Amino acid sequence: MVRTVAVLLAGGTGTRLYPASRSDRPKQFQSFGADSRSLLRRAADRAAFADDVCVLTREAYADAVREHVPEADVLVEPVAKDTGPALAYASHRVREEHADAVLCALPADHVVGDGFGEVARRGCRVAAEREKLVTFGVEPDRPATEYGYIEPGAAHDGYADVASFREKPDAETAARLREAGCLWNAGLFAWRPEVFLAEARDGPLAPLIDALDAGDPERGFDRVDPVSVDYAVMERTDRAAVVPADFDWDDLGSWDALERVLDGDGDGNTLASDALALDASGNVIASDDKHVSVVGVDDLVVAAYDDRVLVVPKADGQRVRDVVAELRGDDLF
């Protein structure tokens, strides 16, 4: 029986969920909707399939991680440089502690339905028995442009080879990819650390792997640029496999995602807090302890947290990043 270590990725700030998410309280420590558990706590609960759980985060969030998931080990990456360096560091640390284990990487900001544990265990078996770098592909329920896609290749027992990874497409391409049977790239992975590290040596993470082997992770992080694990490893390897995921899944990456994971009010509004909508439809309204009213407006995001209020058309939800960039420049994020 293979030993499994679930690594929860909780080092980001969640800029597109500003103002709920701020530099001192990123979204993984917050709850949304009726479930009072934080996103990180929910991720830890669905990692119950694993023998061990650890959380990969940054130094500033380590104490908060311990409060939300006291049973987990905490790994602190030297510098936040996207998922490539983060997962190389985690893989090296897991190999040191559990030489024969399979690492299963779970982002802390996903909303996942029933059946996850069974699929995760299947992916871990494929990673262990076939020495594959496993990604989990979600069957699309719409032609989404905010996710990357995976094109499955030759089918095997419980998994398929990865024929190609596709970048986030435009609407027309997304519809075509969905029709062709491509899957969403959910950012969930499973692999034996030694297999991942061997594949990572042939790409942009090579200086980091060498430095980790030499016991100097800080030097290694200094020598690599921020890079996603997809670009650094998964798109380059011939060991990539995809396990189809038949559970409900969503990436709570922006305010409009709340429409897909929370119930509406009957008029097409999504109310993630105490709110009133009159002659209004298609709005997403969220706040902490404030009552928010909207009248005669459609298709807006209205988010009020602490001393900050955000109002933006849903169609421009990705531009919240631009707001955060301006605020960071003034040290206000």
Side-chain angles (χ1 to χ4, degrees):
M1 195 70 175
V2 63
R3 187 174 189 85
T4 305
V5 179
V7 176
L8 312 183
L9 306 179
T13 56
T15 55
R16 288 175 293 163
L17 283 181
Y18 170 86
S21 187
R22 303 268 293 275
S23 60
D24 59 344
R25 54 164 207 210
K27 65 180 177 181
Q28 58 265 32
F29 302 125
Q30 299 186 54
S31 60
F32 296 90
D35 194 332
S36 61
R37 296 174 299 163
S38 68
L39 295 178
L40 176 57
R41 180 67 258 174
R42 292 188 224 180
D45 290 343
R46 65 176 169 266
F49 70 90
D51 298 293
D52 299 280
V53 177
C54 64
V55 181
L56 181 66
T57 191
R58 62 181 70 182
E59 181 63 42
Y61 303 153
D63 289 342
V65 166
R66 295 184 179 99
E67 291 177 7
H68 284 254
V69 192
E71 73 274 21
D73 293 330
V74 179
L75 301 180
V76 176
E77 56 184 325
V79 183
K81 286 196 169 182
D82 211 335
T83 55
L87 285 170
Y89 179 69
S91 296
H92 203 276
R93 290 289 302 274
V94 168
R95 187 179 66 176
E96 289 176 345
E97 298 293 329
H98 308 284
D100 296 325
V102 168
L103 180 155
C104 188
L106 316 177
D109 57 352
H110 290 179
V111 178
V112 177
D114 295 337
F116 172 75
E118 180 181 350
V119 175
R121 283 189 287 269
R122 187 192 321 147
C124 290
R125 287 196 298 271
V126 172
E129 296 169 4
R130 305 297 181 185
E131 294 198 337
K132 295 289 189 178
L133 302 185
V134 173
T135 184
F136 296 85
V138 174
E139 183 174 352
D141 60 13
R142 64 189 189 281
T145 59
E146 64 267 32
Y147 307 136
Y149 286 72
I150 300 167
E151 179 187 0
H156 304 278
D157 184 17
Y159 74 98
D161 297 330
V162 172
S164 68
F165 289 90
R166 307 295 295 267
E167 298 296 327
K168 296 176 182 178
D170 58 31
E172 181 179 348
T173 303
R176 188 168 65 250
L177 292 173
R178 182 188 181 199
E179 183 68 22
C182 294
L183 304 170
W184 283 336
N185 185 353
L188 301 162
F189 304 101
W191 52 60
R192 284 194 181 277
E194 64 269 23
V195 176
F196 175 84
L197 293 169
E199 295 299 294
R201 288 186 186 277
D202 294 329
L205 296 177
L208 174 59
I209 307 304
D210 291 341
L212 290 171
D213 287 343
D216 193 353
E218 289 79 8
R219 175 171 60 86
F221 272 78
D222 285 343
R223 292 187 175 183
V224 295
D225 295 322
V227 61
S228 71
V229 70
D230 296 287
Y231 178 77
V233 181
M234 298 301 292
E235 295 178 7
R236 300 168 183 267
T237 182
D238 60 2
R239 291 176 176 262
V242 58
V243 169
D246 55 5
F247 46 77
D248 291 335
W249 172 89
D250 211 302
D251 176 2
L252 194 56
S254 57
W255 285 114
D256 62 289
L258 292 182
E259 288 184 311
R260 299 190 295 269
V261 300
L262 300 179
D263 294 331
D265 68 349
D267 291 318
N269 300 294
T270 300
L271 310 180
S273 58
D274 189 16
L276 173 65
L278 294 178
D279 297 324
S281 67
N283 300 290
V284 175
I285 306 171
S287 71
D288 42 21
D289 57 354
K290 302 170 183 65
H291 185 283
V292 177
S293 299
V294 297
V295 181
V297 295
D298 300 326
D299 301 322
L300 294 180
V301 171
V302 181
Y305 287 80
D306 288 342
D307 59 341
R308 306 291 179 89
V309 178
L310 170 77
V311 181
V312 61
K314 280 191 313 187
D316 290 330
Q318 302 299 317
R319 294 195 62 195
V320 177
R321 283 176 167 167
D322 300 335
V323 174
V324 171
E326 291 280 344
L327 293 173
R328 275 182 167 153
D330 295 327
D331 199 24
L332 293 174
F333 178 65

